[in-house]
Amino acid sequence: MELFGELGYPAVTVKRLCEQAGLTQRYFYESFADRSALLVAVYERCVDVTRQATVDAATPYPQSPSGVAPDAVPAAARATLGAFLHTLTGDPRRARVMLVEVVGVDPVVESTRLRAIHGWAGLILALAMGERPVSPAQHVAAVGLVGAVTQLLVDWYFTNVSPEPVDIGTSAPTDLDTVLDVCVEMFGATYDRLMR
């Protein structure tokens, strides 16, 4: 995570990884098929840490078979999204790996990233819907929410953290409080319109 999160995946060779870890390349290849396999392992670990924090934040909001109680949705959304944002952005290396370095590397990494997106959507649906059947529209809405949050965080990363800032062509605020407020509103509106 340190090398991928500080230098970027393209800049990190197996030789560099092994030097940093104090291992021989032979040992590396006994554990991983290639660099992208290591990137997948690092990414999955980042997702696991972030997901656990998000799930832990949901525990004060008991679920019935119908999901979180409708009157608790705004507070549950703020708590869970806040934990997600805090954990993902709390370590700039984790943010870079999850938001930037895994995009478009190769089909295996891309498949892993897409599975994670659908896993996040599944978590949203589990909290919102409980055991109720999920319609195709509800599934698409949950995936869309994940995509919206991800893009807001990519913008935040490139305007606030990235060692190579990117001009996104706007002066709109990208602070995390604003991102959280907008995400809570989006989740609440989606719940009210499609998941109640």
PDB file of all heavy atoms in Angstrom, residues 118-148:
ATOM      1  N   HIS A 118     -20.253  -3.547  -6.783  1.00  0.00           N
ATOM      2  CA  HIS A 118     -21.513  -4.255  -6.572  1.00  0.00           C
ATOM      3  C   HIS A 118     -21.644  -4.755  -5.136  1.00  0.00           C
ATOM      4  O   HIS A 118     -22.758  -4.855  -4.610  1.00  0.00           O
ATOM      5  CB  HIS A 118     -21.678  -5.369  -7.606  1.00  0.00           C
ATOM      6  CG  HIS A 118     -22.042  -4.822  -8.947  1.00  0.00           C
ATOM      7  ND1 HIS A 118     -23.343  -4.674  -9.358  1.00  0.00           N
ATOM      8  CD2 HIS A 118     -21.275  -4.339  -9.954  1.00  0.00           C
ATOM      9  CE1 HIS A 118     -23.368  -4.133 -10.560  1.00  0.00           C
ATOM     10  NE2 HIS A 118     -22.119  -3.921 -10.943  1.00  0.00           N
ATOM     11  N   GLY A 119     -20.516  -5.029  -4.488  1.00  0.00           N
ATOM     12  CA  GLY A 119     -20.552  -5.369  -3.060  1.00  0.00           C
ATOM     13  C   GLY A 119     -21.021  -4.193  -2.213  1.00  0.00           C
ATOM     14  O   GLY A 119     -21.817  -4.358  -1.278  1.00  0.00           O
ATOM     15  N   TRP A 120     -20.541  -2.984  -2.542  1.00  0.00           N
ATOM     16  CA  TRP A 120     -21.010  -1.790  -1.835  1.00  0.00           C
ATOM     17  C   TRP A 120     -22.501  -1.575  -2.099  1.00  0.00           C
ATOM     18  O   TRP A 120     -23.254  -1.220  -1.182  1.00  0.00           O
ATOM     19  CB  TRP A 120     -20.214  -0.550  -2.264  1.00  0.00           C
ATOM     20  CG  TRP A 120     -18.808  -0.527  -1.760  1.00  0.00           C
ATOM     21  CD1 TRP A 120     -17.662  -0.634  -2.505  1.00  0.00           C
ATOM     22  CD2 TRP A 120     -18.375  -0.387  -0.406  1.00  0.00           C
ATOM     23  NE1 TRP A 120     -16.553  -0.574  -1.685  1.00  0.00           N
ATOM     24  CE2 TRP A 120     -16.971  -0.423  -0.400  1.00  0.00           C
ATOM     25  CE3 TRP A 120     -19.047  -0.241   0.804  1.00  0.00           C
ATOM     26  CZ2 TRP A 120     -16.219  -0.311   0.766  1.00  0.00           C
ATOM     27  CZ3 TRP A 120     -18.298  -0.137   1.972  1.00  0.00           C
ATOM     28  CH2 TRP A 120     -16.900  -0.171   1.945  1.00  0.00           C
ATOM     29  N   ALA A 121     -22.924  -1.782  -3.335  1.00  0.00           N
ATOM     30  CA  ALA A 121     -24.345  -1.650  -3.660  1.00  0.00           C
ATOM     31  C   ALA A 121     -25.163  -2.662  -2.860  1.00  0.00           C
ATOM     32  O   ALA A 121     -26.250  -2.341  -2.355  1.00  0.00           O
ATOM     33  CB  ALA A 121     -24.578  -1.831  -5.162  1.00  0.00           C
ATOM     34  N   GLY A 122     -24.646  -3.862  -2.723  1.00  0.00           N
ATOM     35  CA  GLY A 122     -25.323  -4.887  -1.929  1.00  0.00           C
ATOM     36  C   GLY A 122     -25.463  -4.473  -0.473  1.00  0.00           C
ATOM     37  O   GLY A 122     -26.493  -4.734   0.166  1.00  0.00           O
ATOM     38  N   LEU A 123     -24.444  -3.822   0.057  1.00  0.00           N
ATOM     39  CA  LEU A 123     -24.516  -3.344   1.441  1.00  0.00           C
ATOM     40  C   LEU A 123     -25.595  -2.268   1.578  1.00  0.00           C
ATOM     41  O   LEU A 123     -26.380  -2.282   2.533  1.00  0.00           O
ATOM     42  CB  LEU A 123     -23.152  -2.803   1.880  1.00  0.00           C
ATOM     43  CG  LEU A 123     -23.070  -2.258   3.302  1.00  0.00           C
ATOM     44  CD1 LEU A 123     -23.457  -3.310   4.327  1.00  0.00           C
ATOM     45  CD2 LEU A 123     -21.667  -1.728   3.571  1.00  0.00           C
ATOM     46  N   ILE A 124     -25.644  -1.353   0.634  1.00  0.00           N
ATOM     47  CA  ILE A 124     -26.689  -0.318   0.635  1.00  0.00           C
ATOM     48  C   ILE A 124     -28.072  -0.978   0.626  1.00  0.00           C
ATOM     49  O   ILE A 124     -28.950  -0.619   1.408  1.00  0.00           O
ATOM     50  CB  ILE A 124     -26.536   0.622  -0.579  1.00  0.00           C
ATOM     51  CG1 ILE A 124     -25.273   1.472  -0.439  1.00  0.00           C
ATOM     52  CG2 ILE A 124     -27.780   1.495  -0.748  1.00  0.00           C
ATOM     53  CD1 ILE A 124     -24.876   2.190  -1.721  1.00  0.00           C
ATOM     54  N   LEU A 125     -28.243  -1.946  -0.250  1.00  0.00           N
ATOM     55  CA  LEU A 125     -29.542  -2.617  -0.369  1.00  0.00           C
ATOM     56  C   LEU A 125     -29.885  -3.417   0.882  1.00  0.00           C
ATOM     57  O   LEU A 125     -31.042  -3.434   1.313  1.00  0.00           O
ATOM     58  CB  LEU A 125     -29.566  -3.508  -1.609  1.00  0.00           C
ATOM     59  CG  LEU A 125     -29.570  -2.752  -2.930  1.00  0.00           C
ATOM     60  CD1 LEU A 125     -29.277  -3.694  -4.091  1.00  0.00           C
ATOM     61  CD2 LEU A 125     -30.889  -2.008  -3.140  1.00  0.00           C
ATOM     62  N   ALA A 126     -28.904  -4.049   1.483  1.00  0.00           N
ATOM     63  CA  ALA A 126     -29.161  -4.809   2.714  1.00  0.00           C
ATOM     64  C   ALA A 126     -29.647  -3.885   3.820  1.00  0.00           C
ATOM     65  O   ALA A 126     -30.586  -4.220   4.558  1.00  0.00           O
ATOM     66  CB  ALA A 126     -27.906  -5.557   3.140  1.00  0.00           C
ATOM     67  N   LEU A 127     -29.033  -2.727   3.937  1.00  0.00           N
ATOM     68  CA  LEU A 127     -29.456  -1.779   4.974  1.00  0.00           C
ATOM     69  C   LEU A 127     -30.822  -1.182   4.660  1.00  0.00           C
ATOM     70  O   LEU A 127     -31.667  -1.043   5.542  1.00  0.00           O
ATOM     71  CB  LEU A 127     -28.419  -0.669   5.125  1.00  0.00           C
ATOM     72  CG  LEU A 127     -27.077  -1.098   5.711  1.00  0.00           C
ATOM     73  CD1 LEU A 127     -26.056   0.026   5.603  1.00  0.00           C
ATOM     74  CD2 LEU A 127     -27.226  -1.537   7.163  1.00  0.00           C
ATOM     75  N   ALA A 128     -31.035  -0.821   3.403  1.00  0.00           N
ATOM     76  CA  ALA A 128     -32.283  -0.148   3.020  1.00  0.00           C
ATOM     77  C   ALA A 128     -33.461  -1.102   2.904  1.00  0.00           C
ATOM     78  O   ALA A 128     -34.590  -0.748   3.255  1.00  0.00           O
ATOM     79  CB  ALA A 128     -32.092   0.591   1.698  1.00  0.00           C
ATOM     80  N   MET A 129     -33.204  -2.286   2.388  1.00  0.00           N
ATOM     81  CA  MET A 129     -34.299  -3.195   2.041  1.00  0.00           C
ATOM     82  C   MET A 129     -34.463  -4.356   3.016  1.00  0.00           C
ATOM     83  O   MET A 129     -35.509  -5.000   3.021  1.00  0.00           O
ATOM     84  CB  MET A 129     -34.061  -3.766   0.634  1.00  0.00           C
ATOM     85  CG  MET A 129     -33.944  -2.731  -0.464  1.00  0.00           C
ATOM     86  SD  MET A 129     -35.458  -1.843  -0.765  1.00  0.00           S
ATOM     87  CE  MET A 129     -36.482  -3.183  -1.387  1.00  0.00           C
ATOM     88  N   GLY A 130     -33.446  -4.668   3.787  1.00  0.00           N
ATOM     89  CA  GLY A 130     -33.527  -5.836   4.653  1.00  0.00           C
ATOM     90  C   GLY A 130     -33.698  -7.087   3.813  1.00  0.00           C
ATOM     91  O   GLY A 130     -32.940  -7.332   2.882  1.00  0.00           O
ATOM     92  N   GLU A 131     -34.731  -7.827   4.124  1.00  0.00           N
ATOM     93  CA  GLU A 131     -34.989  -9.084   3.404  1.00  0.00           C
ATOM     94  C   GLU A 131     -36.028  -8.928   2.301  1.00  0.00           C
ATOM     95  O   GLU A 131     -36.402  -9.910   1.654  1.00  0.00           O
ATOM     96  CB  GLU A 131     -35.452 -10.154   4.402  1.00  0.00           C
ATOM     97  CG  GLU A 131     -34.406 -10.485   5.449  1.00  0.00           C
ATOM     98  CD  GLU A 131     -34.955 -11.357   6.566  1.00  0.00           C
ATOM     99  OE1 GLU A 131     -36.074 -11.907   6.435  1.00  0.00           O
ATOM    100  OE2 GLU A 131     -34.255 -11.476   7.591  1.00  0.00           O
ATOM    101  N   ARG A 132     -36.497  -7.710   2.091  1.00  0.00           N
ATOM    102  CA  ARG A 132     -37.477  -7.494   1.019  1.00  0.00           C
ATOM    103  C   ARG A 132     -36.837  -7.770  -0.331  1.00  0.00           C
ATOM    104  O   ARG A 132     -35.636  -7.560  -0.513  1.00  0.00           O
ATOM    105  CB  ARG A 132     -37.993  -6.059   1.049  1.00  0.00           C
ATOM    106  CG  ARG A 132     -38.831  -5.733   2.272  1.00  0.00           C
ATOM    107  CD  ARG A 132     -39.326  -4.310   2.240  1.00  0.00           C
ATOM    108  NE  ARG A 132     -38.206  -3.380   2.433  1.00  0.00           N
ATOM    109  CZ  ARG A 132     -38.221  -2.110   2.049  1.00  0.00           C
ATOM    110  NH1 ARG A 132     -39.274  -1.598   1.419  1.00  0.00           N
ATOM    111  NH2 ARG A 132     -37.192  -1.333   2.280  1.00  0.00           N
ATOM    112  N   PRO A 133     -37.616  -8.236  -1.303  1.00  0.00           N
ATOM    113  CA  PRO A 133     -37.062  -8.467  -2.641  1.00  0.00           C
ATOM    114  C   PRO A 133     -36.551  -7.153  -3.243  1.00  0.00           C
ATOM    115  O   PRO A 133     -37.131  -6.090  -3.022  1.00  0.00           O
ATOM    116  CB  PRO A 133     -38.244  -8.999  -3.447  1.00  0.00           C
ATOM    117  CG  PRO A 133     -39.310  -9.327  -2.470  1.00  0.00           C
ATOM    118  CD  PRO A 133     -39.032  -8.587  -1.212  1.00  0.00           C
ATOM    119  N   VAL A 134     -35.473  -7.258  -3.987  1.00  0.00           N
ATOM    120  CA  VAL A 134     -34.851  -6.092  -4.625  1.00  0.00           C
ATOM    121  C   VAL A 134     -35.206  -6.111  -6.103  1.00  0.00           C
ATOM    122  O   VAL A 134     -34.958  -7.095  -6.803  1.00  0.00           O
ATOM    123  CB  VAL A 134     -33.320  -6.124  -4.435  1.00  0.00           C
ATOM    124  CG1 VAL A 134     -32.653  -4.999  -5.212  1.00  0.00           C
ATOM    125  CG2 VAL A 134     -32.964  -6.056  -2.954  1.00  0.00           C
ATOM    126  N   SER A 135     -35.769  -5.015  -6.576  1.00  0.00           N
ATOM    127  CA  SER A 135     -36.113  -4.908  -7.997  1.00  0.00           C
ATOM    128  C   SER A 135     -34.885  -4.507  -8.800  1.00  0.00           C
ATOM    129  O   SER A 135     -33.905  -3.988  -8.247  1.00  0.00           O
ATOM    130  CB  SER A 135     -37.210  -3.861  -8.191  1.00  0.00           C
ATOM    131  OG  SER A 135     -36.675  -2.551  -8.027  1.00  0.00           O
ATOM    132  N   PRO A 136     -34.918  -4.728 -10.115  1.00  0.00           N
ATOM    133  CA  PRO A 136     -33.801  -4.266 -10.950  1.00  0.00           C
ATOM    134  C   PRO A 136     -33.551  -2.760 -10.796  1.00  0.00           C
ATOM    135  O   PRO A 136     -32.396  -2.326 -10.754  1.00  0.00           O
ATOM    136  CB  PRO A 136     -34.244  -4.625 -12.371  1.00  0.00           C
ATOM    137  CG  PRO A 136     -35.153  -5.805 -12.192  1.00  0.00           C
ATOM    138  CD  PRO A 136     -35.888  -5.517 -10.896  1.00  0.00           C
ATOM    139  N   ALA A 137     -34.605  -1.969 -10.697  1.00  0.00           N
ATOM    140  CA  ALA A 137     -34.436  -0.519 -10.549  1.00  0.00           C
ATOM    141  C   ALA A 137     -33.739  -0.183  -9.231  1.00  0.00           C
ATOM    142  O   ALA A 137     -32.889   0.721  -9.177  1.00  0.00           O
ATOM    143  CB  ALA A 137     -35.785   0.188 -10.629  1.00  0.00           C
ATOM    144  N   GLN A 138     -34.066  -0.897  -8.177  1.00  0.00           N
ATOM    145  CA  GLN A 138     -33.419  -0.656  -6.888  1.00  0.00           C
ATOM    146  C   GLN A 138     -31.945  -1.039  -6.938  1.00  0.00           C
ATOM    147  O   GLN A 138     -31.087  -0.333  -6.389  1.00  0.00           O
ATOM    148  CB  GLN A 138     -34.156  -1.422  -5.784  1.00  0.00           C
ATOM    149  CG  GLN A 138     -35.522  -0.847  -5.504  1.00  0.00           C
ATOM    150  CD  GLN A 138     -36.395  -1.782  -4.683  1.00  0.00           C
ATOM    151  OE1 GLN A 138     -36.266  -3.010  -4.754  1.00  0.00           O
ATOM    152  NE2 GLN A 138     -37.313  -1.198  -3.908  1.00  0.00           N
ATOM    153  N   HIS A 139     -31.645  -2.133  -7.608  1.00  0.00           N
ATOM    154  CA  HIS A 139     -30.242  -2.540  -7.752  1.00  0.00           C
ATOM    155  C   HIS A 139     -29.458  -1.492  -8.544  1.00  0.00           C
ATOM    156  O   HIS A 139     -28.367  -1.082  -8.144  1.00  0.00           O
ATOM    157  CB  HIS A 139     -30.149  -3.906  -8.434  1.00  0.00           C
ATOM    158  CG  HIS A 139     -28.744  -4.343  -8.656  1.00  0.00           C
ATOM    159  ND1 HIS A 139     -27.969  -4.873  -7.647  1.00  0.00           N
ATOM    160  CD2 HIS A 139     -27.957  -4.292  -9.756  1.00  0.00           C
ATOM    161  CE1 HIS A 139     -26.763  -5.134  -8.124  1.00  0.00           C
ATOM    162  NE2 HIS A 139     -26.734  -4.797  -9.401  1.00  0.00           N
ATOM    163  N   VAL A 140     -30.025  -1.040  -9.654  1.00  0.00           N
ATOM    164  CA  VAL A 140     -29.360  -0.016 -10.472  1.00  0.00           C
ATOM    165  C   VAL A 140     -29.178   1.268  -9.655  1.00  0.00           C
ATOM    166  O   VAL A 140     -28.132   1.922  -9.723  1.00  0.00           O
ATOM    167  CB  VAL A 140     -30.152   0.247 -11.769  1.00  0.00           C
ATOM    168  CG1 VAL A 140     -29.649   1.488 -12.492  1.00  0.00           C
ATOM    169  CG2 VAL A 140     -30.069  -0.969 -12.691  1.00  0.00           C
ATOM    170  N   ALA A 141     -30.170   1.637  -8.873  1.00  0.00           N
ATOM    171  CA  ALA A 141     -30.062   2.839  -8.043  1.00  0.00           C
ATOM    172  C   ALA A 141     -28.921   2.716  -7.041  1.00  0.00           C
ATOM    173  O   ALA A 141     -28.156   3.674  -6.838  1.00  0.00           O
ATOM    174  CB  ALA A 141     -31.384   3.093  -7.315  1.00  0.00           C
ATOM    175  N   ALA A 142     -28.790   1.552  -6.429  1.00  0.00           N
ATOM    176  CA  ALA A 142     -27.714   1.347  -5.457  1.00  0.00           C
ATOM    177  C   ALA A 142     -26.345   1.430  -6.138  1.00  0.00           C
ATOM    178  O   ALA A 142     -25.413   2.050  -5.611  1.00  0.00           O
ATOM    179  CB  ALA A 142     -27.888   0.007  -4.745  1.00  0.00           C
ATOM    180  N   VAL A 143     -26.211   0.832  -7.309  1.00  0.00           N
ATOM    181  CA  VAL A 143     -24.950   0.921  -8.056  1.00  0.00           C
ATOM    182  C   VAL A 143     -24.679   2.381  -8.426  1.00  0.00           C
ATOM    183  O   VAL A 143     -23.550   2.870  -8.326  1.00  0.00           O
ATOM    184  CB  VAL A 143     -24.964   0.019  -9.309  1.00  0.00           C
ATOM    185  CG1 VAL A 143     -23.740   0.258 -10.181  1.00  0.00           C
ATOM    186  CG2 VAL A 143     -25.043  -1.454  -8.906  1.00  0.00           C
ATOM    187  N   GLY A 144     -25.726   3.100  -8.824  1.00  0.00           N
ATOM    188  CA  GLY A 144     -25.575   4.516  -9.156  1.00  0.00           C
ATOM    189  C   GLY A 144     -25.120   5.344  -7.968  1.00  0.00           C
ATOM    190  O   GLY A 144     -24.294   6.257  -8.111  1.00  0.00           O
ATOM    191  N   LEU A 145     -25.636   5.037  -6.782  1.00  0.00           N
ATOM    192  CA  LEU A 145     -25.191   5.744  -5.581  1.00  0.00           C
ATOM    193  C   LEU A 145     -23.706   5.498  -5.326  1.00  0.00           C
ATOM    194  O   LEU A 145     -22.964   6.427  -4.993  1.00  0.00           O
ATOM    195  CB  LEU A 145     -26.018   5.319  -4.365  1.00  0.00           C
ATOM    196  CG  LEU A 145     -27.452   5.826  -4.332  1.00  0.00           C
ATOM    197  CD1 LEU A 145     -28.235   5.141  -3.210  1.00  0.00           C
ATOM    198  CD2 LEU A 145     -27.501   7.343  -4.182  1.00  0.00           C
ATOM    199  N   VAL A 146     -23.281   4.257  -5.485  1.00  0.00           N
ATOM    200  CA  VAL A 146     -21.858   3.945  -5.305  1.00  0.00           C
ATOM    201  C   VAL A 146     -21.025   4.730  -6.320  1.00  0.00           C
ATOM    202  O   VAL A 146     -19.995   5.320  -5.972  1.00  0.00           O
ATOM    203  CB  VAL A 146     -21.585   2.433  -5.436  1.00  0.00           C
ATOM    204  CG1 VAL A 146     -20.090   2.137  -5.373  1.00  0.00           C
ATOM    205  CG2 VAL A 146     -22.330   1.665  -4.352  1.00  0.00           C
ATOM    206  N   GLY A 147     -21.481   4.763  -7.566  1.00  0.00           N
ATOM    207  CA  GLY A 147     -20.759   5.511  -8.589  1.00  0.00           C
ATOM    208  C   GLY A 147     -20.689   6.994  -8.285  1.00  0.00           C
ATOM    209  O   GLY A 147     -19.648   7.639  -8.468  1.00  0.00           O
ATOM    210  N   ALA A 148     -21.788   7.554  -7.794  1.00  0.00           N
ATOM    211  CA  ALA A 148     -21.804   8.981  -7.454  1.00  0.00           C
ATOM    212  C   ALA A 148     -20.841   9.281  -6.322  1.00  0.00           C
ATOM    213  O   ALA A 148     -20.046  10.238  -6.398  1.00  0.00           O
ATOM    214  CB  ALA A 148     -23.223   9.410  -7.084  1.00  0.00           C
TER     215      ALA A 148
END
